[in-house]
Amino acid sequence: MIKRIDHIAIVVPDLEAGTGFWAEALGLPVERIETVPDEGVDVAFLPVGESEIELLRPTDTESGVARFLEKRGPGLHHICLEVEDIRATLDRLRAANVPLINEQPKIGSGGKKFAFVHPKGTGGVLVELYELPGQM
Ligand code: CO
């Protein structure tokens, strides 16, 4: 079961430019900014109801996000859906011949499980799946 949109991630060249529209013009709060060295990004989190806008700024020229910015410019990077059971969701997608970037869930901060679905199988949008800990 798909529970909600957890976040929408947008690549920005720098966080000031990125927060100009979302925080200053629109008035969304910047709840926190985290550095994620493994992915080579700084992330600004702007909550919107049950979801968040995440602004991703590459900190490492070799990261996937840096390559995305270089190739495609700033803009939508991925949409993340929270699911009840990530393994069941991946099985379902495999059965539907949807190409997966992560065949098995990875474990992220706070013990959440996540996996990416290839944009080739989704109509061109990178889709992330989350299963958050302590919830069924
Ligand atoms: Co994400």
Side-chain angles (χ1 to χ4, degrees):
M1 191 194 79
I2 311 296
K3 298 172 90 170
R4 67 189 174 100
I5 294 174
D6 184 274
H7 61 269
I8 294 173
I10 296 166
V11 177
V12 296
D14 60 77
L15 290 181
E16 292 69 33
T19 52
F21 170 70
W22 298 100
E24 285 152 41
L26 212 49
L28 290 176
V30 179
E31 188 186 68
R32 64 193 190 282
I33 295 175
E34 282 178 19
T35 297
V36 188
D38 281 359
E39 290 165 43
V41 287
D42 285 338
V43 187
F45 295 89
L46 294 82
V48 183
E50 297 197 301
S51 308
E52 285 181 318
I53 304 277
E54 288 187 7
L55 302 177
L56 310 178
R57 177 184 81 92
T59 53
D60 163 357
T61 54
E62 296 303 304
S63 67
V65 171
R67 288 198 303 273
F68 180 98
L69 181 62
E70 196 181 345
K71 209 167 130 189
R72 304 183 56 174
L76 180 65
H77 186 262
H78 65 268
I79 291 178
C80 178
L81 301 173
E82 185 194 348
V83 301
E84 195 167 274
D85 182 337
I86 194 166
R87 287 182 185 282
T89 306
L90 292 172
D91 285 345
R92 180 188 173 114
L93 294 175
R94 257 190 296 272
N97 293 315
V98 174
L100 304 174
I101 291 174
N102 306 112
E103 290 290 336
Q104 300 300 326
K106 298 175 85 173
I107 307 292
S109 61
K112 69 176 177 245
K113 295 178 189 148
F114 69 96
F116 283 95
V117 182
H118 201 287
K120 275 191 275 188
T122 67
V125 179
L126 178 61
V127 174
E128 182 176 30
L129 303 171
Y130 263 12
E131 180 186 320
L132 299 178
Q135 303 185 24
M136 276 305 288

